[in-house]
Structures are given as structure tokens and as C-alpha cells.
């Protein structure tokens, strides 16, 4: 596993953990809508999730543009399409 894959996996794991926490807080807030601490925590995690997703998207975009283009064209077109597998 190269460092790009390790970074992507770490970001994906963090995104999944944030998604889980947000779902749980959303469920909790459904029955405790006035819990200010839970609302604050939900908003903080939502901001962190948004930032993490942006970092992951930028990371993937930078990697794909540097790895996919070469002198022979775009490599993504050379891989088997789902209906060829």
C-alpha cells in the first residue's frame, strides 16, 4: 500500500466514523430536541465531516490528475468496464 492509499483509507475511515456519530446524534436529537450540548456537538461534527470530505475530494482529485494522465492518454479508459467483468 502506497502513501496515497494509506492517506485515502485514513480519510475514509475518519469520514465513516463522523457519519456514524452524526447519525447517532441525529437519532438522539429526535427524542431530545432541546439538548444544547448535543446540538453543539452535532454542529461541530457536521463541520468536521464537511472539511474531511473536502480534503478527501481534493486528495483524490490531485492524485487522479497526476496519475491518470501520461503521454499515452488516459489510463481509466483502458481498465475493464463493469459490463466486461
Amino acid at each position: 500500500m502506497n502513501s496515497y492509499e494509506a492517506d485515502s483509507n485514513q480519510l475514509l475511515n475518519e469520514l465513516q466514523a463522523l457519519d456514524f456519530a452524526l447519525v447517532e446524534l441525529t437519532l438522539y436529537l429526535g427524542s431530545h430536541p432541546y439538548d444544547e450540548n448535543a446540538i453543539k456537538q452535532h454542529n461541530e461534527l457536521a463541520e468536521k465531516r464537511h472539511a474531511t470530505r473536502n480534503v478527501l475530494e481534493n486528495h483524490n482529485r490531485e492524485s487522479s490528475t497526476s496519475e491518470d494522465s501520461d503521454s499515452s492518454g488516459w489510463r481509466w479508459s483502458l481498465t475493464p468496464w463493469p459490463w466486461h467483468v
Side-chain angles (χ1 to χ4, degrees):
M1 178 180 296
N2 62 31
S3 66
Y4 163 75
E5 290 173 343
D7 291 343
S8 290
N9 285 341
Q10 181 180 359
L11 288 168
L12 283 171
N13 287 338
E14 185 174 342
L15 196 60
Q16 289 175 337
L18 289 166
D19 284 341
F20 178 82
L22 284 167
V23 167
E24 291 297 313
L25 277 169
T26 300
L27 292 172
Y28 174 81
L29 285 167
S31 60
H32 301 81
Y34 303 108
D35 186 335
E36 292 181 18
N37 289 331
I39 294 169
K40 181 181 175 188
Q41 187 177 14
H42 181 278
N43 292 340
E44 289 171 356
L45 289 176
E47 288 178 24
K48 187 172 182 179
R49 186 202 181 280
H50 180 73
T52 302
R53 183 169 182 205
N54 285 341
V55 169
L56 181 62
E57 287 175 353
N58 290 335
H59 183 71
N60 288 340
R61 190 175 311 122
E62 290 170 7
S63 175
S64 66
T65 56
S66 65
E67 292 178 2
D68 287 344
S69 61
D70 61 16
S71 60
S72 64
W74 294 94
R75 286 189 271 165
W76 64 265
S77 63
L78 302 176
T79 60
W81 292 91
W83 53 87
H84 292 145
V85 178

